[in-house]
Amino acid sequence: GGGSGHEPSHSGWVGSGMLTASVAGEIFASPNVDAILAAIVSVTGPSGCLLIVKNYTGDRINFGLAAEKARAQFGLRVEMCIIGDDIALLDATGKNRSKARGIAGTVLCHKIAGALAESGAPLEEVRDSVERVAQSTFTIGAALSSCEIPGKPDQQNRIQVGHFEVGLGIHGEPGAQTRPFKDADDAVTTLVQYISHRIEEDVPKRGIALLLNNLGSVPPMEMSILADCIRKSSIGSYVKVLMGPGSLMTSLQMNGFSISCLVLDDAGIWARCLLQPVAVRAWIFPVENPNPPEVIPLPSLELHAKFLSSKNDMVEGALRAITEGLIEEEHSLNELDRRVGDGDCGSTLATGARRLNMCLGDLPMNHAGDLLISIGQVLSKAMGGTSGVLVSLFLITAGGSMNRTESSWSNCSAFEEGISVVKRYGGSDEGHRTMLDALIPAFCALPQGISAAADAAEVGAVSTAFMKNADGRTQYVPEEKRSGIEDPGARAVAIVFHILDHYLHTLP
């Protein structure tokens, strides 16, 4: 046990195969003697009791006095191991552990002690094994910010922005040095150097168990990045048992991590103990002989989707007019989107239009189905966000339908199929303030001519300003704030049809 604030340590390790009991004090304060003694008396049987204590003055004194009382007053067999795995402030040899703090490596001692006890090993053997484990464990931590104790005002973070502290304690005690923060690789390399200077030369043969511990508030993604940095470090190839990344010995909300390395024994007993399953919910089951992820070659997605280019001046002219028109409207569409969304609708469409402009000469202009599929493929790569995906879905589906039916632009059912797919995957429909409110009326009116389609798209776009239902970008905006503002996607569809209508009417 020990002070609170290190959860899940130590109560999280109580269960079959690990600890029998845990005693918690106040935040960062040792539990009192009576609480410790009560725990000892409650759980100790004929086989005896082993206390695993982190090397802090309060813990040593309180647990020590409780152990003496348990022996003298209750006649119980009680042994105690003091864990000092923090190497931040040790001398160069790292052999004198009398002043080393107990930190995350204590969890490894818990696990091995529990496994040995579960196997029936006598108390003295468990004690001696844990002491050897403690002497063979080396832990070093680093953080961008220290911890703040709840209810204590005026706590200032001593670590400057853009720096990280190496070797700080799990109660926020100052560490060995402060360095400018470069990146995860540099931080890991710094800690690994502390460890590699102190482990024995035969480590490559024996291997290590490595615990990557989150000290409190490092996001899981960043912990995974740190794990990969360790894998690529000078000790990465020695790791035979990997625990983490995870929160095992925390320091409230400290934004940092620690690395614990246990140099394994020749017989492989410690590795087997760490890998032994336990009925403890907080335990992160280790990985044996972790291997780097397999990277397979990226398949060519263009292999079956490349079409021969062909010329059609009218179709190419129409596409060029549409792309140039969307580029011109970039600012106005962004301004409209800024009022009901994230303000990038115009930029997204303009990015796709610019990319499409660059490859107009390579497209199959004389084959409607192939052309729509090709445009969909270009836009799926060039346009980000939901809009790019939905536009690509519509075009690729409509193009595929034309190819299957060997039809061309007059096949309205192909466009209806594209709209149906957008509805299915986009989860929306007409009347919900999306581009469908202009797209569906436009294609319904298309058999009557392009001007009728453009007029229908315009009416649909204007109508979105007063729709109460909302999907897409406006669904997260309160109704009173979106009322009177058109949906940018629907407005973009209307713009496209107006451009197409104007272009076709200017042809000779």
Side-chain angles (χ1 to χ4, degrees):
S4 298
H6 307 301
E7 289 71 23
S9 290
H10 299 274
S11 59
W13 314 129
V14 175
S16 177
M18 284 191 74
L19 302 183
T20 307
S22 170
V23 191
E26 297 293 329
I27 293 178
F28 297 167
S30 176
N32 63 56
V33 175
D34 286 346
I36 300 168
L37 181 60
I40 295 171
V41 172
S42 297
V43 302
T44 302
S47 298
C49 172
L50 176 66
L51 306 179
I52 299 177
V53 181
K54 299 188 299 299
N55 191 23
Y56 297 98
T57 302
D59 287 341
R60 289 198 315 270
I61 293 173
N62 287 8
F63 277 86
L65 180 53
E68 294 299 330
K69 284 189 171 185
R71 295 186 193 108
Q73 297 176 16
F74 296 91
L76 299 175
R77 296 175 59 208
V78 181
E79 299 289 344
M80 186 165 80
C81 291
I82 297 174
I83 312 302
D85 56 303
D86 186 1
I87 60 174
L89 305 176
L90 296 186
D91 58 24
T93 66
K95 296 185 182 299
N96 183 7
R97 300 289 188 102
S98 62
K99 295 183 179 180
R101 299 172 294 206
I103 49 179
T106 308
V107 178
L108 303 178
C109 296
H110 290 332
K111 181 64 176 69
I112 292 173
L116 292 172
E118 190 82 1
S119 70
L123 176 61
E124 291 75 16
E125 181 183 330
V126 177
R127 177 202 61 199
D128 294 345
S129 296
V130 170
E131 288 178 348
R132 289 195 298 272
V133 169
Q135 286 296 317
S136 301
T137 302
F138 306 85
T139 301
I140 183 76
L144 294 172
S145 64
S146 187
C147 52
E148 296 180 5
I149 300 176
K152 290 194 175 182
D154 302 325
Q155 298 177 79
Q156 294 183 346
N157 181 27
R158 64 176 177 273
I159 307 172
Q160 296 180 11
V161 175
H163 290 71
F164 72 105
E165 189 169 281
V166 179
L168 69 174
I170 56 174
H171 310 113
E173 304 97 328
Q177 60 171 313
T178 301
R179 296 166 53 96
F181 181 80
K182 296 179 182 177
D183 53 32
D185 268 318
D186 178 69
V188 166
T189 299
T190 301
L191 300 197
V192 166
Q193 286 174 347
Y194 271 83
I195 294 169
S196 59
H197 289 164
R198 291 171 171 82
I199 57 180
E200 300 170 15
E201 294 182 357
D202 62 346
V203 164
K205 182 181 69 174
R206 296 159 65 187
I208 61 176
L210 188 142
L211 167 60
L212 177 55
N213 175 56
N214 188 341
L215 284 167
S217 64
V218 182
M221 179 180 69
E222 294 180 13
M223 290 300 298
S224 295
I225 292 171
L226 292 168
D228 191 54
C229 293
I230 293 172
R231 179 184 66 82
K232 295 181 292 187
S233 74
S234 61
I235 63 173
S237 61
Y238 306 157
V239 179
K240 291 187 176 180
V241 180
L242 173 64
M243 286 146 289
S247 300
L248 291 97
M249 177 77 73
T250 62
S251 181
L252 294 174
Q253 73 289 74
M254 184 180 287
N255 187 16
F257 69 100
S258 65
I259 301 172
S260 299
C261 286
L262 164 62
V263 180
L264 295 171
D265 60 315
D266 292 323
I269 296 173
W270 297 346
R272 289 196 295 273
C273 288
L274 292 171
L275 292 166
Q276 183 173 308
V278 291
V280 176
R281 188 174 63 86
W283 178 247
I284 298 175
F285 196 78
V287 177
E288 186 175 12
N289 297 318
N291 295 312
E294 181 184 0
V295 179
I296 61 174
L298 184 67
S300 174
L301 302 180
E302 303 292 341
L303 187 61
H304 301 293
K306 194 77 173 175
F307 302 106
L308 294 176
S309 62
S310 57
K311 295 293 291 181
N312 186 314
D313 293 339
M314 185 181 77
V315 174
E316 183 174 344
L319 282 175
R320 193 175 300 278
I322 291 171
T323 56
E324 291 176 353
L326 288 174
I327 292 170
E328 289 177 8
E329 296 289 341
E330 178 177 1
H331 178 71
S332 65
L333 288 171
N334 279 343
E335 283 299 311
L336 187 61
D337 191 28
R338 196 167 285 117
R339 300 170 67 185
V340 291
D342 52 9
D344 68 347
C345 178
S347 298
T348 299
L349 292 169
T351 298
R354 292 187 183 97
R355 182 68 186 91
L356 194 57
N357 251 348
M358 293 170 60
C359 58
L360 286 179
D362 300 324
L363 298 178
M365 295 292 180
N366 220 22
H367 193 290
D370 290 353
L371 178 60
L372 290 179
I373 294 172
S374 298
I375 295 172
Q377 290 169 348
V378 171
L379 297 183
S380 70
K381 296 177 181 178
M383 290 173 61
T386 305
S387 299
V389 177
L390 292 177
V391 171
S392 298
L393 269 173
F394 170 72
L395 294 172
I396 290 173
T397 303
S401 176
M402 287 182 182
N403 284 349
R404 287 193 302 274
T405 57
E406 298 182 355
S407 58
S408 190
W409 301 109
S410 60
N411 180 10
C412 290
S413 63
F415 295 112
E416 291 171 1
E417 190 173 332
I419 289 171
S420 176
V421 169
V422 170
K423 287 181 182 180
R424 183 162 73 247
Y425 289 108
S428 189
D429 205 339
E430 192 174 5
H432 286 211
R433 289 182 64 101
T434 70
M435 68 177 185
L436 291 174
D437 292 301
L439 198 64
I440 292 174
F443 281 107
C444 286
L446 189 58
Q448 290 137 43
I450 187 62
S451 295
D455 291 342
E458 176 67 24
V459 171
V462 171
S463 71
T464 61
F466 303 99
M467 290 178 179
K468 295 190 177 298
N469 292 329
D471 287 335
R473 60 173 53 81
T474 58
Q475 64 181 306
Y476 308 109
V477 181
E479 183 181 343
E480 63 272 14
K481 291 189 177 181
R482 66 175 185 254
S483 180
I485 304 171
E486 295 176 2
D487 177 72
R491 173 46 54 194
V493 170
I495 289 171
V496 169
F497 274 92
H498 282 308
I499 292 171
L500 192 56
D501 181 33
H502 176 74
Y503 171 77
L504 292 176
H505 278 90
T506 59
L507 291 175

